[in-house]
PDB file of all heavy atoms in Angstrom:
ATOM      1  N   VAL A 200     102.345  90.448 103.745  1.00 96.00           N
ATOM      2  CA  VAL A 200     103.061  89.191 103.498  1.00 96.00           C
ATOM      3  C   VAL A 200     104.278  89.465 102.614  1.00 96.00           C
ATOM      4  O   VAL A 200     104.237  90.307 101.722  1.00 96.00           O
ATOM      5  CB  VAL A 200     102.157  88.125 102.836  1.00 96.00           C
ATOM      6  CG1 VAL A 200     100.989  87.789 103.736  1.00 96.00           C
ATOM      7  CG2 VAL A 200     101.662  88.576 101.472  1.00 96.00           C
ATOM      8  N   SER A 201     105.366  88.723 102.875  1.00 94.00           N
ATOM      9  CA  SER A 201     106.600  88.922 102.108  1.00 94.00           C
ATOM     10  C   SER A 201     106.614  88.089 100.831  1.00 94.00           C
ATOM     11  O   SER A 201     107.337  88.402  99.894  1.00 94.00           O
ATOM     12  CB  SER A 201     107.807  88.545 102.971  1.00 94.00           C
ATOM     13  OG  SER A 201     107.702  87.197 103.388  1.00 94.00           O
ATOM     14  N   PHE A 202     105.815  87.019 100.806  1.00 96.00           N
ATOM     15  CA  PHE A 202     105.873  86.134  99.632  1.00 96.00           C
ATOM     16  C   PHE A 202     104.960  86.627  98.523  1.00 96.00           C
ATOM     17  O   PHE A 202     104.005  87.362  98.770  1.00 96.00           O
ATOM     18  CB  PHE A 202     105.506  84.693 100.019  1.00 96.00           C
ATOM     19  CG  PHE A 202     104.215  84.567 100.794  1.00 96.00           C
ATOM     20  CD1 PHE A 202     102.990  84.639 100.164  1.00 96.00           C
ATOM     21  CD2 PHE A 202     104.240  84.370 102.179  1.00 96.00           C
ATOM     22  CE1 PHE A 202     101.803  84.521 100.871  1.00 96.00           C
ATOM     23  CE2 PHE A 202     103.068  84.250 102.904  1.00 96.00           C
ATOM     24  CZ  PHE A 202     101.852  84.330 102.245  1.00 96.00           C
ATOM     25  N   LYS A 203     105.287  86.202  97.291  1.00 96.00           N
ATOM     26  CA  LYS A 203     104.429  86.517  96.153  1.00 96.00           C
ATOM     27  C   LYS A 203     103.353  85.440  96.029  1.00 96.00           C
ATOM     28  O   LYS A 203     103.551  84.296  96.431  1.00 96.00           O
ATOM     29  CB  LYS A 203     105.266  86.555  94.870  1.00 96.00           C
ATOM     30  CG  LYS A 203     106.191  87.753  94.809  1.00 96.00           C
ATOM     31  CD  LYS A 203     106.669  87.967  93.372  1.00 96.00           C
ATOM     32  CE  LYS A 203     107.304  89.328  93.191  1.00 96.00           C
ATOM     33  NZ  LYS A 203     108.511  89.527  94.024  1.00 96.00           N
ATOM     34  N   HIS A 204     102.209  85.825  95.459  1.00 97.00           N
ATOM     35  CA  HIS A 204     101.144  84.836  95.246  1.00 97.00           C
ATOM     36  C   HIS A 204     101.684  83.712  94.355  1.00 97.00           C
ATOM     37  O   HIS A 204     102.231  83.991  93.277  1.00 97.00           O
ATOM     38  CB  HIS A 204      99.952  85.527  94.572  1.00 97.00           C
ATOM     39  CG  HIS A 204      98.714  84.682  94.551  1.00 97.00           C
ATOM     40  ND1 HIS A 204      98.575  83.571  93.749  1.00 97.00           N
ATOM     41  CD2 HIS A 204      97.564  84.763  95.254  1.00 97.00           C
ATOM     42  CE1 HIS A 204      97.383  83.031  93.946  1.00 97.00           C
ATOM     43  NE2 HIS A 204      96.751  83.730  94.862  1.00 97.00           N
ATOM     44  N   PRO A 205     101.566  82.457  94.794  1.00 97.00           N
ATOM     45  CA  PRO A 205     102.215  81.364  94.048  1.00 97.00           C
ATOM     46  C   PRO A 205     101.647  81.141  92.646  1.00 97.00           C
ATOM     47  O   PRO A 205     102.321  80.549  91.802  1.00 97.00           O
ATOM     48  CB  PRO A 205     101.995  80.138  94.936  1.00 97.00           C
ATOM     49  CG  PRO A 205     100.888  80.504  95.844  1.00 97.00           C
ATOM     50  CD  PRO A 205     100.923  81.981  96.013  1.00 97.00           C
ATOM     51  N   ILE A 206     100.443  81.588  92.388  1.00 97.00           N
ATOM     52  CA  ILE A 206      99.857  81.386  91.053  1.00 97.00           C
ATOM     53  C   ILE A 206      99.971  82.655  90.209  1.00 97.00           C
ATOM     54  O   ILE A 206     100.485  82.635  89.100  1.00 97.00           O
ATOM     55  CB  ILE A 206      98.355  80.994  91.167  1.00 97.00           C
ATOM     56  CG1 ILE A 206      98.180  79.802  92.116  1.00 97.00           C
ATOM     57  CG2 ILE A 206      97.783  80.704  89.786  1.00 97.00           C
ATOM     58  CD1 ILE A 206      98.893  78.532  91.721  1.00 97.00           C
ATOM     59  N   THR A 207      99.483  83.780  90.742  1.00 97.00           N
ATOM     60  CA  THR A 207      99.468  85.002  89.929  1.00 97.00           C
ATOM     61  C   THR A 207     100.814  85.722  89.942  1.00 97.00           C
ATOM     62  O   THR A 207     101.060  86.577  89.085  1.00 97.00           O
ATOM     63  CB  THR A 207      98.397  85.995  90.460  1.00 97.00           C
ATOM     64  OG1 THR A 207      98.783  86.432  91.768  1.00 97.00           O
ATOM     65  CG2 THR A 207      97.031  85.325  90.548  1.00 97.00           C
ATOM     66  N   GLY A 208     101.672  85.402  90.923  1.00 95.00           N
ATOM     67  CA  GLY A 208     102.982  86.058  91.005  1.00 95.00           C
ATOM     68  C   GLY A 208     102.928  87.467  91.541  1.00 95.00           C
ATOM     69  O   GLY A 208     103.949  88.149  91.578  1.00 95.00           O
ATOM     70  N   LYS A 209     101.730  87.912  91.972  1.00 93.00           N
ATOM     71  CA  LYS A 209     101.599  89.299  92.459  1.00 93.00           C
ATOM     72  C   LYS A 209     101.794  89.380  93.970  1.00 93.00           C
ATOM     73  O   LYS A 209     101.443  88.481  94.685  1.00 93.00           O
ATOM     74  CB  LYS A 209     100.219  89.854  92.096  1.00 93.00           C
ATOM     75  CG  LYS A 209     100.086  90.137  90.605  1.00 93.00           C
ATOM     76  CD  LYS A 209      98.640  90.570  90.273  1.00 93.00           C
ATOM     77  CE  LYS A 209      98.427  90.604  88.761  1.00 93.00           C
ATOM     78  NZ  LYS A 209      97.002  90.630  88.393  1.00 93.00           N
TER      79      LYS A 209
ATOM     80  N   TYR B  29      96.400  84.198 103.618  1.00 97.00           N
ATOM     81  CA  TYR B  29      95.456  85.043 102.857  1.00 97.00           C
ATOM     82  C   TYR B  29      94.072  85.036 103.510  1.00 97.00           C
ATOM     83  O   TYR B  29      93.413  86.069 103.614  1.00 97.00           O
ATOM     84  CB  TYR B  29      95.338  84.552 101.405  1.00 97.00           C
ATOM     85  CG  TYR B  29      96.512  84.889 100.512  1.00 97.00           C
ATOM     86  CD1 TYR B  29      96.893  84.036  99.476  1.00 97.00           C
ATOM     87  CD2 TYR B  29      97.241  86.060 100.672  1.00 97.00           C
ATOM     88  CE1 TYR B  29      97.959  84.336  98.648  1.00 97.00           C
ATOM     89  CE2 TYR B  29      98.309  86.371  99.856  1.00 97.00           C
ATOM     90  CZ  TYR B  29      98.666  85.507  98.840  1.00 97.00           C
ATOM     91  OH  TYR B  29      99.716  85.804  98.027  1.00 97.00           O
ATOM     92  N   GLN B  34      92.015  88.296 102.447  1.00 94.00           N
ATOM     93  CA  GLN B  34      92.287  88.500 101.014  1.00 94.00           C
ATOM     94  C   GLN B  34      91.653  87.327 100.240  1.00 94.00           C
ATOM     95  O   GLN B  34      92.352  86.450  99.733  1.00 94.00           O
ATOM     96  CB  GLN B  34      93.790  88.597 100.765  1.00 94.00           C
ATOM     97  CG  GLN B  34      94.413  89.759 101.542  1.00 94.00           C
ATOM     98  CD  GLN B  34      95.888  89.945 101.232  1.00 94.00           C
ATOM     99  OE1 GLN B  34      96.257  90.304 100.129  1.00 94.00           O
ATOM    100  NE2 GLN B  34      96.726  89.689 102.208  1.00 94.00           N
ATOM    101  N   LYS B  37      92.481  86.489  96.586  1.00 98.00           N
ATOM    102  CA  LYS B  37      93.740  85.750  96.431  1.00 98.00           C
ATOM    103  C   LYS B  37      93.556  84.277  96.789  1.00 98.00           C
ATOM    104  O   LYS B  37      94.205  83.410  96.214  1.00 98.00           O
ATOM    105  CB  LYS B  37      94.833  86.375  97.293  1.00 98.00           C
ATOM    106  CG  LYS B  37      95.266  87.740  96.774  1.00 98.00           C
ATOM    107  CD  LYS B  37      96.497  88.242  97.473  1.00 98.00           C
ATOM    108  CE  LYS B  37      96.911  89.594  96.886  1.00 98.00           C
ATOM    109  NZ  LYS B  37      97.980  90.220  97.659  1.00 98.00           N
ATOM    110  N   ASP B  40      92.174  82.552  93.769  1.00 98.00           N
ATOM    111  CA  ASP B  40      93.205  82.369  92.742  1.00 98.00           C
ATOM    112  C   ASP B  40      94.128  81.183  93.020  1.00 98.00           C
ATOM    113  O   ASP B  40      94.910  80.800  92.151  1.00 98.00           O
ATOM    114  CB  ASP B  40      94.068  83.638  92.615  1.00 98.00           C
ATOM    115  CG  ASP B  40      93.331  84.770  91.909  1.00 98.00           C
ATOM    116  OD1 ASP B  40      92.355  84.474  91.199  1.00 98.00           O
ATOM    117  OD2 ASP B  40      93.729  85.936  92.072  1.00 98.00           O
ATOM    118  N   LYS B 140     102.698  74.484  88.157  1.00 98.00           N
ATOM    119  CA  LYS B 140     102.317  75.060  89.445  1.00 98.00           C
ATOM    120  C   LYS B 140     101.279  74.186  90.149  1.00 98.00           C
ATOM    121  O   LYS B 140     100.389  73.634  89.500  1.00 98.00           O
ATOM    122  CB  LYS B 140     101.712  76.456  89.254  1.00 98.00           C
ATOM    123  CG  LYS B 140     102.734  77.503  88.859  1.00 98.00           C
ATOM    124  CD  LYS B 140     102.042  78.825  88.579  1.00 98.00           C
ATOM    125  CE  LYS B 140     103.054  79.873  88.146  1.00 98.00           C
ATOM    126  NZ  LYS B 140     102.408  81.091  87.649  1.00 98.00           N
TER     127      LYS B 140
END
Side-chain angles (χ1 to χ4, degrees):
Chain A
V200 299
S201 59
F202 51 78
K203 289 197 166 62
H204 191 289
I206 307 300
T207 66
K209 288 175 191 164
Chain B
Y29 285 148
Q34 300 184 67
K37 290 190 178 172
D40 286 340
K140 288 175 182 170

